[in-house]
Amino acid sequence: MPRTVEILQSYGVGDDLLRKGHRAYFFCNYNYDPATAGIKFSSKLQGINEPTAQHKCCILHHQGFIESLLLSGLLQAGVKVERACKPVKMALSEDESEFDNPKAYPVKLVLEHAAAAPGTPSTEAVRAKFVVGADGAHSWVRRTLDIAMEGDSTSRVWGAIDFTPLPSSTFPDWRNIATVNARDAGLMLIPREDGKVRLYIELGTEDALPRDARGRPDTSGLSPAALLDIARGVFKPYTLETRPEDVEWWTAYIVGQRVAARFAEKRRVFIVGDACHTHSPKGGQGMNVSISDGHNLAWKIAHVLKSWSPMSLLDTYEAERRPFAQELIAFDRWYAEGFSAKARAKLVADTADGAGVALPGPLEAFLSFSAITTGVGIHYAASAITSPTSSPEPGAAAPGPFALMPGKRVPPHALVRVADRRPLTLQDALPADGRARLLVFSGALTGADDAARMVSIERAVKALVDRVWKERFALVVVLARVGDATPYLDVPMGLREDWTSVLVDAVSPFSNESGGAYAALGVPASGQIVVKLEQYLHGWMI
Amino acid sequence: MPRTVEILQSYGVGDDLLRKGHRAYFFCNYNYDPATAGIKFSSKLQGINEPTAQHKCCILHHQGFIESLLLSGLLQAGVKVERACKPVKMALSEDESEFDNPKAYPVKLVLEHAAAAPGTPSTEAVRAKFVVGADGAHSWVRRTLDIAMEGDSTSRVWGAIDFTPLPSSTFPDWRNIATVNARDAGLMLIPREDGKVRLYIELGTEDALPRDARGRPDTSGLSPAALLDIARGVFKPYTLETRPEDVEWWTAYIVGQRVAARFAEKRRVFIVGDACHTHSPKGGQGMNVSISDGHNLAWKIAHVLKSWSPMSLLDTYEAERRPFAQELIAFDRWYAEGFSAKARAKLVADTADGAGVALPGPLEAFLSFSAITTGVGIHYAASAITSPTSSPEPGAAAPGPFALMPGKRVPPHALVRVADRRPLTLQDALPADGRARLLVFSGALTGADDAARMVSIERAVKALVDRVWKERFALVVVLARVGDATPYLDVPMGLREDWTSVLVDAVSPFSNESGGAYAALGVPASGQIVVKLEQYLHGWMI
């Protein structure tokens, strides 16, 4: 999803995803047609239409690949992930004063090394400043903290299978995202890299499954052949042809629609991703939301460790992500409704005349939630780090989609870099390197008057940064306009120590025509300074 | 240069260059101004303006990086390059009949391993089918074959130095390509990746240098500090500030403007790159032309080895690349003239009134040769592999820049892939994988009549490919238009076995409006089949 691509890009690990991922531009919908007792094409819509999404498509690659991007980014930073190592015991300090001290190690853990060399101990006791449980739907960390999952008690069973269809398969939309609703079953098709596809096949509620000896739903009777048989039934009258050797992977699993009651314990132990929210795979949200959780939490822990922020900053993680997870579950319930047996039954009843109408729009549902599902429209509530210091003028127009707003991500508005005229976006100038940014919208620089004004801006910025924060902040200068003959040297040196951070609103390397950046970002032509923490904005005028 | 980027992309190794290279959009010119006795800004022009160049900029990275792209591409293909290994003896077979047999090994070589393990022999005798001397201006292969270099006997000395300028340096165009002509010296500035720059500094003819004991020009008196001092003199009144630790690399070398009398011996030993042509670095051509040489030769050797082509195919290497090298030298002479001491003297004389005019346009010279310098306009003469089988209609309009022409490269016209609506260019569908292509411009596919016609095209193509060549050819289908509701399945299966090779002329993923591809490519609306070898076109109508 677009926001996830932005996050990976901001860490410098997104390029391979852009290069190798499959791009899905369209979402298709096929529904049951009583006239033929098979499915029929219903609609095809542009899947991503958020104006601020830089790529108007979903970019798809399997989870192992995304993990390899993150692992290689970590390796470049000198961090090696240890596998075959899991916590088996966790206890928090009984000395309450330790929790307020960011230098303390108040979490005691026992780790078990599954692959310990013979003769070396297989367990290891460690003390940690922070623990993050990114350990999935069955999270050990969550259970150890005794955090309840709140939500639906009935759970649905999904099959997932990855394979390459043969060209002789007659279903026409293998390379688009598709929701397919037959009379008795439904599935979702996600095209993958290298011509593969993934199907998510709804297998009913867990009550429909036999129970194993311990009373748990038993998926062991399932197989790739069984899943493909169900899918073939759904696709009729179209065909799905594949060979056993073209099946790459399959699974079956039970999902609830649940959110953890808490995301954190004593500001020291956190849970992220599937450990704190589970939902159906249909919205394509699982990994996307989980990566956003991690991105939200990581910089906050870093700022606390560097003594740049008080421990209370960490409270904003749950305050921001838990309401978002709840919104997502609400979406998931509504969206999944379009696939349910009840909805299918209603469809059949409603269309007794055989006309074959569409279900009440799962695609439209997806698109109406697209600020959430794409991730680019997430808007966190006001807090210590998201309150604006100024209010909009009375009678001012509503902010447009690109407007800089406290609590929203900085949008990727197109700009041009002054020194080399390279086109880029405002986001490209804001890598997630741990530093906050002073975005200096300094107005136009076209003549001697402007040059003099720039010098006073340089002085103001220097005073501000020297006084308040120093190493935490990097500058990004966005000029409203430069003249065709404006020398780059007219930007005062204090504002251009890093030539890559001086940008201008222009439509192309070869033209100084304005691309309307100031107006779109909601910045007055006279200029503004905007303070940006990792994901948030505070704003005030200079 | 654009054509080199295309070639690297076609081998699947260009993405990292696009990602990490510096992009230079402008070429600047600074000339001597007698009024101030310093340089003065003269002109700034868009550097790459060839309409068919996909990136309108030069993309710059150092040679070691480009080599690493090629090496990693080779590694992925299972080829490891042996270093510290050089030929010391080469002899061609005395049995003439061997030369006509592509399975024979008529070249005997003795290789010397500089890093042989103690106790193992340091030399090794091998027999080769083919030998390619890519061994630089002092080519051992060329000398062993006794091939003369033809051209200028006087040679110029250039210094080259890589460094990072400090932000306090006042020269305004570090991030653009710049030619700078002072009164007594001149230089060329090439911005590099990561904020570095390279300067090529003209140091005069080799006669100006002292001689060493063996009578060769002696560059040992030079140093980075000496080169930077000369450069500082050229840049006046602007400053160049850098620290010794910011100097990355430097060299001084002598270049002639020479072309080898032959590029091959007995269709078995070839020379490429600097081994067959040397010229000044000012056109930025050295590595570009050399990579093109290799690309031109490689597929021909492959086709001969696979018995797809007679040995005579190899004659086209010299027939195509040597005239091109000669054209390049002609350009280099004209271009270098703008930097010469004589031109500078003339400038000073002409501008005795102190007005400070531009030299007779080195930038304009560069741009007027841009079909050659960018590489995208190279047009090889007619030959067995480049002759058209049809002539233009009398009175037909002159072909536009995107027109498919025998002897020119296939241009990267924008298209959309039918199955997933991904935007790409015609070149993206033509990777350099050793296979030739049948480009099937099949006309529109919007209704039942078209679908029937497509079936007859499928039959014709199948007959053609089965009869003439089979494994050598892959299909690429370019539809003129599809209807908004045209099912992908209407493309007959024989034309869509590879879904990634079915394209359509459309402006975006979301619109079927024509991008004018057929007209621009010079293909009739009724359709055409075009046969493409690695770089060339034959065309005929169906």
Side-chain angles (χ1 to χ4, degrees), chain A residues 12 14-16 18-26 44 46-48 56-57 167-176 192 194-196 238 417 419-423 484 487-489 493 496-499 509-511, chain B residues 12 14-16 18-26 44 46-48 56-57 167-176 192 194-196 238 417 419-423 484 487-489 493 496-499 509-511:
Chain A
D15 287 330
D16 275 349
L18 289 174
R19 177 161 55 168
K20 295 180 181 166
H22 179 75
R23 301 192 178 195
Y25 292 90
F26 282 93
K44 183 181 274 193
Q46 179 175 341
I48 304 293
K56 295 287 190 287
C57 55
S168 49
S169 306
T170 62
F171 182 71
D173 277 300
W174 294 116
R175 305 318 305 161
N176 296 310
R192 275 183 45 190
D194 300 332
K196 293 170 202 158
Y238 298 109
R417 200 154 65 183
D420 60 356
R421 301 291 304 181
R422 183 169 182 150
D484 288 332
Y488 176 58
L489 299 183
M493 217 178 80
R496 62 167 168 84
E497 280 181 30
D498 177 3
W499 64 269
F510 310 115
S511 164
Chain B
D15 287 330
D16 275 349
L18 289 173
R19 176 160 56 167
K20 296 181 181 167
H22 180 75
R23 301 190 180 198
Y25 292 90
F26 283 93
K44 183 182 276 195
Q46 180 175 341
I48 304 293
K56 295 289 190 285
C57 54
S168 50
S169 306
T170 63
F171 182 71
D173 277 301
W174 294 116
R175 303 320 304 162
N176 296 309
R192 275 183 46 189
D194 300 331
K196 294 169 201 157
Y238 299 109
R417 200 154 65 182
D420 60 355
R421 302 291 306 183
R422 182 168 182 151
D484 287 333
Y488 175 58
L489 299 184
M493 216 179 81
R496 62 165 168 86
E497 280 180 32
D498 177 3
W499 64 269
F510 310 114
S511 164

Side-chain angles (χ1 to χ4, degrees), chain B residues 225-276:
Chain B
L227 290 179
L228 287 173
D229 272 349
I230 297 171
R232 286 195 184 95
V234 172
F235 279 123
K236 270 183 188 162
Y238 299 109
T239 64
L240 177 174
E241 293 179 40
T242 188
R243 299 168 303 186
E245 62 266 38
D246 295 329
V247 173
E248 188 189 63
W249 177 84
W250 74 283
T251 189
Y253 59 106
I254 298 160
V255 285
Q257 291 165 325
R258 299 191 183 93
V259 178
R262 293 177 291 128
F263 282 18
E265 176 83 6
K266 298 248 183 218
R267 298 173 175 166
R268 292 294 184 164
V269 186
F270 301 88
I271 50 177
V272 299
D274 286 1
C276 36

Side-chain angles (χ1 to χ4, degrees), chain A residues 313-332:
Chain A
L313 174 67
L314 298 169
D315 295 340
T316 64
Y317 166 64
E318 180 180 307
E320 288 169 348
R321 297 304 293 176
R322 191 163 180 273
F324 172 64
Q326 286 170 317
E327 265 189 278
L328 192 69
I329 300 292
F331 156 71
D332 194 48

